[in-house]
Amino acid sequence: MEFIYSLTPFIFDWLDLIVRWIHIIVGIAWIGTSFYFNWLDSRLDREINKDDIDGELWSVHSGGFYHINKLKGPPKNFPKELHWFKWEAYTTWISGFALLIIVYYLNAESIMIDKNINDISPFIAIIISLIFLLGSWFIYDFLCKSKLINNIILFSIICIIIATFLSYLLTEIYGSRAAYIHVGACLGTIMAANVFRVIIPSQKNMVESALNNKQPDLKKGLDAKTRSIHNNYITLPVLFIMISSHFPFTYGHHYNWLILLFISIIGASVRHYFNLRNKKQHKVWILPIAALGMFLLMLYVSVPKIIQKDMIKTTKDQISFSEINNIIKYRCGVCHMNKPTFEGFDDPPLGLVFESPDDIVKNIEKIKAQVIDSDIMPPGNLTGITDEERNKIRLWIESGANINN
Ligand code: HEC
């Protein structure tokens, strides 16, 4: 029994690894087929003169030539096997939700909740999360079914405003990283629900109508097309959010929701450029503007830090290592030690230990990213580190992270 108990954290680490791995694999399969069919449809040669063929395409890949025809209507004789592309989407959502449970719900206290922002119980945090996942789909679906959908620009602007408001709200409810992941999870839920509720039902209708010699429901077909275009644009922000956990200067920024908005707009506009290019409209100017946007965002995030750094340098304080060691011992060590003393931690999080000077020096870049470039650690500032202490760590690192003074 004791043995199984001590195995538990390892089981969760491995579960995290396996489910994350699956999530990425099926996600690639989903986005891959979706990008491929999008590309395929735009590159079809439509100038061929064959009665039943809408367009054709030749390609070479994996050691062979492929000749693809898109039919104008349903096939006269249905093939024995018709391939659908839906499980890629469903399994991506299912594995994503499983990850949300393994990584966030089960560690709600330390990873979702930031006591400085909102002192809620894990149960409430999880309920709010579920409300956001479902609610964002209902709001989006409602807008898609309203008259607003006929005005693409107005529809996009309203969706962006609502999404921005919801991300802001999330940063006021959860810790920054959990807030970011929830925006991604809401968008991912919308994408998967689009497949499940609209795109696949429309395709089923197409197949059934063909088999029964009936006209397919045109409205269903048009709705499916719209939703699949939406998914195409939403993909880029979602993928950014998934990798954002490696970039604390984004999710850890004071205006993280604003940064997310800008990066999403830049991503969607690059997607827009490629979609237009597929339609043979070459609006190349979009790309340098997107690059400029990224550059300005970088300046916005980093210039204040450079200025702050210069101000600290001029104080010429010498920071001794023993002072730094004490700060880290009291503010971080309670969790990041071999036998953590902080309630609820049986093992050091992510195996990160800061007990010896060597441990600290070895992880200096990570510490800088979590404590100085952002305020992510300590989570929810549970140990009450002060700005002055953060500045001392910064100054010590700047002056060469010397452990011998
Ligand atoms: C209350 C417990 C707690 C305290 C105190 C704490 N941490 Fe952490 N730390 C965590 C947890 C939990 C994680 C894992 C977070 C995750 O997986 O997202 C973590 C992760 C980290 C990481 C790795 C982040 C990454 O994603 O690579 C670093 C670096 C870190 N902490 C540094 C610090 C420093 C420096 C301090 C002190 C200023 C500190 N921590 C204080 C709990 C704590």
Side-chain angles (χ1 to χ4, degrees):
M1 207 50 219
E2 179 81 348
F3 174 72
I4 297 201
Y5 184 72
S6 51
L7 208 58
T8 318
F10 297 99
I11 294 177
F12 276 104
D13 281 351
W14 280 88
L15 213 60
D16 179 358
L17 184 155
I18 293 164
V19 179
R20 205 176 283 263
W21 196 10
I22 293 175
H23 185 57
I24 293 176
I25 293 168
V26 288
I28 289 175
W30 178 16
I31 307 300
T33 44
S34 139
F35 274 23
Y36 173 70
F37 277 101
N38 202 47
W39 173 88
L40 183 66
D41 211 50
S42 66
R43 293 300 168 101
L44 288 173
D45 175 6
R46 311 217 182 230
E47 290 177 1
I48 56 163
N49 278 323
K50 284 187 198 156
D51 281 349
D52 54 340
I53 305 252
D54 187 28
E56 71 171 2
L57 181 128
W58 286 88
S59 54
V60 57
H61 196 274
S62 338
F65 293 95
Y66 291 78
H67 184 199
I68 293 162
N69 290 313
K70 181 177 178 185
L71 307 188
K72 277 186 179 146
K76 290 199 181 68
N77 299 313
F78 254 83
K80 256 207 317 263
E81 194 175 8
L82 184 62
H83 295 281
W84 294 74
F85 296 87
K86 57 180 178 187
W87 280 106
E88 293 85 348
Y90 300 164
T91 45
T92 304
W93 188 85
I94 293 167
S95 53
F97 189 63
L99 264 182
L100 200 62
I101 297 175
I102 297 169
V103 179
Y104 288 89
Y105 291 2
L106 293 179
N107 300 302
E109 187 89 50
S110 60
I111 297 193
M112 284 173 94
I113 299 162
D114 183 334
K115 291 210 161 64
N116 279 343
I117 298 176
N118 230 326
D119 198 356
I120 46 178
S121 72
F123 178 72
I124 297 289
I126 294 168
I127 295 291
I128 293 177
S129 161
L130 294 172
I131 291 175
F132 263 87
L133 291 188
L134 275 175
S136 50
W137 160 252
F138 282 118
I139 295 174
Y140 161 81
D141 191 51
F142 171 78
L143 291 177
C144 284
K145 287 175 176 158
S146 73
K147 287 214 169 64
L148 203 60
I149 195 77
N150 300 320
N151 187 335
I152 298 178
I153 295 185
L154 196 62
F155 174 84
S156 315
I157 291 176
I158 291 192
C159 282
I160 290 173
I161 291 175
I162 295 178
T164 307
F165 174 69
L166 291 182
S167 8
Y168 168 74
L169 212 58
L170 281 165
T171 61
E172 292 289 304
I173 297 174
Y174 297 133
S176 49
R177 192 158 154 188
Y180 255 46
I181 278 295
H182 272 84
V183 179
C186 289
L187 293 175
T189 301
I190 287 178
M191 289 174 69
N194 269 340
V195 175
F196 183 60
R197 301 280 300 147
V198 182
I199 298 172
I200 291 297
S202 143
Q203 287 171 4
K204 280 197 174 137
N205 171 268
M206 245 169 60
V207 171
E208 274 160 23
S209 315
L211 287 172
N212 298 319
N213 270 326
K214 280 203 257 163
Q215 277 299 320
D217 186 340
L218 272 180
K219 166 124 188 14
K220 280 196 167 140
L222 284 174
D223 285 349
K225 182 82 204 158
T226 311
R227 303 291 179 110
S228 110
I229 293 172
H230 292 173
N231 276 5
N232 191 268
Y233 284 97
I234 303 176
T235 309
L236 275 90
V238 171
L239 290 182
F240 162 70
I241 294 170
M242 297 306 143
I243 57 169
S244 70
S245 59
H246 297 286
F247 305 100
F249 54 83
T250 57
Y251 67 90
H253 192 273
H254 184 62
Y255 292 113
N256 45 11
W257 54 277
L258 208 58
I259 291 178
L260 183 56
L261 169 71
F262 273 103
I263 292 190
S264 302
I265 291 177
I266 291 169
S269 61
V270 171
R271 187 66 246 177
H272 190 56
Y273 161 76
F274 281 101
N275 287 345
L276 289 177
R277 195 180 76 155
N278 286 344
K279 288 191 212 155
K280 303 229 159 41
Q281 298 176 29
H282 292 272
K283 304 238 159 112
V284 184
W285 54 266
I286 294 177
L287 295 182
I289 291 205
L292 182 69
M294 226 39 183
F295 180 71
L296 291 178
L297 197 59
M298 184 198 83
L299 290 184
Y300 168 69
V301 173
S302 42
V303 166
K305 291 208 180 102
I306 299 171
I307 295 171
Q308 213 177 5
K309 217 152 76 180
D310 285 348
M311 272 163 54
I312 295 165
K313 264 190 188 146
T314 54
T315 64
K316 287 210 168 34
D317 274 349
Q318 258 298 330
I319 305 288
S320 70
F321 176 66
S322 65
E323 202 174 344
I324 297 303
N325 203 15
N326 266 336
I327 297 174
I328 292 185
K329 187 167 148 201
Y330 291 112
R331 307 300 189 198
C332 322
V334 284
C335 298
H336 292 283
M337 67 198 301
N338 283 312
K339 289 260 169 289
T341 51
F342 202 87
E343 207 187 306
F345 286 84
D346 297 329
D347 296 281
L350 304 178
L352 274 175
V353 173
F354 309 134
E355 281 188 57
S356 69
D358 251 12
D359 295 334
I360 297 174
V361 170
K362 212 167 56 194
N363 291 302
I364 206 87
E365 282 304 319
K366 283 191 185 156
I367 294 177
K368 186 167 165 289
Q370 302 283 325
V371 183
I372 297 172
D373 297 343
S374 63
D375 303 340
I376 293 158
M377 282 293 142
N381 202 0
L382 285 171
T383 48
I385 192 172
T386 63
D387 283 348
E388 199 190 335
E389 286 168 333
R390 282 190 208 275
N391 277 338
K392 280 187 177 158
I393 301 179
R394 181 207 312 267
L395 189 61
W396 175 71
I397 295 178
E398 308 264 301
S399 58
N402 195 339
I403 50 171
N404 298 320
N405 63 11

